[in-house]
Amino acid sequence: MFLPLFIVLIALPFLPEQIPAHYGMDNQVTRWGSKYEAFIYPVTTILMGYFLLAMAKLAAKQEEHGKNNEKVVIITGIAVLAYFNIMNLFSLYTAFNKVENLSSVAFNIWQLVFGLLGAVMIVTGNIMPKLRMNSMIGLRTKWSMKNETTWKKSQRFGGISFIVGGIVIVVICFLAKGIYSFLWTMGVIAILLAIDICYTYRLSRKY
């Protein structure tokens, strides 16, 4: 949670006074801002961390025995915060070098953003089957929450689909650049959601 803040505090004296603050869809910088805008990622990361901790506590309250739900949220939260940490480093890199065109960077920003998203999905998919029934996290539909059997089978199936989808997205991000990696990623996620929802519906009819 706090690592991006420490890194920015160390880097701040070495940053130029004006840094790229926003990029357009064409990867060109559209606005320059003060170097103090580098604190946006650290503040966002800290807020996200506290939000995830609150989610973990609330999910734990819906579990009578054990702390499976809390652990799942914490592990997922660590993966999400790692994502924010990497994006913070990328932001500092563009600030240090005053990058005007992201296309000149060795690695494509779209590939980085969605490749990391795929990695987070893989981590989440591995731990989804451990979730106990709750109304906050997991593959939750009115059909998956019908009973314990539909819930457990839904989380197991959802976990597998997340892992497969995450792997596909990571591969896509190695092959497709720019907005194409975004479009393919959104397509994969839409297909996964449709399949998962249909699966919970079929389970509810069976059980």
Side-chain angles (χ1 to χ4, degrees):
M1 284 172 58
F2 295 99
L3 184 58
L5 178 61
F6 295 142
I7 292 174
V8 170
L9 286 172
I10 293 171
L12 193 66
F14 307 100
L15 289 176
E17 291 301 320
Q18 293 291 307
I19 63 174
H22 185 267
Y23 292 93
M25 293 292 289
D26 59 356
N27 289 335
Q28 299 286 338
V29 65
T30 57
R31 184 176 71 83
W32 294 85
S34 165
K35 66 179 182 180
Y36 293 100
E37 291 191 39
F39 283 105
I40 291 176
Y41 263 116
V43 171
T44 303
T45 305
I46 292 170
L47 292 175
M48 177 60 71
Y50 278 118
F51 170 75
L52 291 166
L53 285 173
M55 286 282 290
K57 295 297 183 184
L58 290 173
K61 289 181 179 179
Q62 296 188 24
E63 186 176 5
E64 292 184 7
H65 305 289
K67 294 185 176 181
N68 283 43
N69 291 350
E70 185 176 11
K71 289 177 181 178
V72 169
V73 178
I74 291 295
I75 294 171
T76 303
I78 290 171
V80 171
L81 293 181
Y83 177 100
F84 276 84
N85 272 263
I86 294 171
M87 293 308 300
N88 179 62
L89 292 174
F90 181 82
S91 176
L92 288 175
Y93 172 83
T94 60
F96 269 120
N97 294 281
K98 302 185 75 170
V99 176
E100 296 187 25
N101 185 354
L102 288 176
S103 299
S104 64
V105 179
F107 41 93
N108 185 271
I109 181 62
W110 295 88
Q111 291 174 302
L112 177 65
V113 169
F114 296 108
L116 290 173
L117 174 62
V120 172
M121 288 176 63
I122 294 171
V123 172
T124 302
N126 272 283
I127 56 179
M128 270 183 68
K130 297 182 182 296
L131 283 170
R132 299 292 184 263
M133 190 182 295
N134 70 92
S135 60
M136 299 183 62
I137 54 175
L139 177 51
R140 294 174 295 107
T141 67
K142 65 179 181 180
W143 301 300
S144 68
M145 298 183 70
K146 183 177 181 181
N147 54 55
E148 283 293 334
T149 300
T150 58
W151 174 264
K152 289 179 179 178
K153 288 183 176 294
S154 293
Q155 304 319 303
R156 190 177 300 114
F157 183 85
I160 294 171
S161 71
F162 258 57
I163 293 171
V164 173
I167 293 172
V168 171
I169 289 172
V170 170
V171 172
I172 285 173
C173 289
F174 272 109
L175 302 175
K177 292 184 178 182
I179 195 169
Y180 294 105
S181 58
F182 163 74
L183 294 175
W184 277 105
T185 297
M186 292 301 102
V188 170
I189 291 175
I191 292 170
L192 285 180
L193 288 175
I195 292 173
D196 287 351
I197 291 171
C198 288
Y199 180 79
T200 62
Y201 173 72
R202 290 185 60 187
L203 273 181
S204 70
R205 291 177 63 86
K206 184 176 182 181
Y207 297 97

